[in-house]
Amino acid sequence: MAELPGTACWVSLTTPDRRATEAFYGAVLGWSFNDGALAPEARVATLAGEPVAGLNEAAAARGLPARWTVFFLVEDADGAAELIAERGGTVAVGPVDFGSGRTVLGADPCGAAFGLWQGTAPPRWGVGAGRAPVRLCLRTCDPQGALAFYGAVLGRGPDGAPSPGGTGPRLRTGARPGDPEPAARPRWEVTFPVADPEGAAAAARRNGGSPVALPEGGVTVCDPHGALFGLARAEP
């Protein structure tokens, strides 16, 4: 469970069509969906009764693209938003009140979008190996700059920033800003462990998604509305 400021505490999907999106991810990943506690427009995906991710249709109505966004816990959303701008990033939304907390949507200097959350972190949720519901990796064009940026904005040193290994958020170099292929651009890669990644990719194709080939391998899928996510084999 995310408790420390700077920790990745949630992932949420912006979508223009909640019902179609829930049908897609239910078929591909076996998720069920419930109303969220934070706000009326928030939905929560669960697997075996445990929370996995959020879904927000209202955000798309405000002009945000369909995509997966990683949220990091902060003590002061307003102060962190100022640091985003000071360190060369951009603030797209906020800080604004959302349910019981306060949130910011922004991007780092390379253009990878992310969110900040000031409030109580969702319980029974984590990042990494084993039974963690999600794995995160930052695809960046400037690894050293990314370490400095996230360390400053999130209020933690290099141990709290993305790293090449470990069980927390990882870092991958080689992103190409402005590349015509969205999967190659700087972004936070959100990957969900599944028992059969190839079978899940096939289910995605049958339900309107498009598997994406990446040079380094792995299974990446573009959902019917353009949001990218990864599939990895779940550890025993």
Side-chain angles (χ1 to χ4, degrees), residues 27-227:
V28 175
L29 298 174
W31 291 351
S32 299
F33 295 86
N34 306 300
D35 288 335
L38 292 177
E41 64 266 32
R43 296 276 286 175
V44 175
T46 62
L47 183 64
E50 295 296 323
V52 177
L55 185 154
N56 192 329
E57 186 179 50
R62 300 187 184 105
L64 296 177
R67 71 181 173 210
W68 281 100
T69 300
V70 181
F71 285 83
F72 296 90
L73 195 64
V74 294
E75 293 181 326
D76 177 9
D78 293 77
E82 293 179 1
L83 285 169
I84 290 175
E86 290 176 7
R87 295 285 176 156
T90 57
V91 176
V93 177
V96 295
D97 293 332
F98 185 78
S100 59
R102 197 157 171 78
T103 191
V104 176
L105 294 177
D108 67 23
C110 282
F114 66 98
L116 304 176
W117 174 249
Q118 177 189 330
T120 302
R124 306 189 309 280
W125 192 91
V127 173
R131 295 179 60 83
V134 68
R135 301 174 189 174
L136 302 176
C137 181
L138 174 63
R139 178 183 288 271
T140 182
C141 60
D142 180 6
Q144 292 305 315
L147 292 175
F149 174 82
Y150 286 99
V153 170
L154 302 179
R156 299 183 67 182
D159 63 318
S163 64
T167 59
R170 300 188 179 191
L171 184 147
R172 177 178 292 162
T173 61
R176 303 186 293 271
D179 193 282
E181 172 51 60
R185 299 171 192 166
R187 63 188 177 91
W188 277 95
E189 299 176 337
V190 178
T191 298
F192 301 102
V194 293
D196 179 8
E198 292 75 18
R205 186 182 292 107
R206 290 194 301 272
N207 287 275
S210 305
V212 177
L214 296 178
E216 64 273 12
V219 180
T220 297
V221 174
C222 182
D223 77 12
H225 298 105

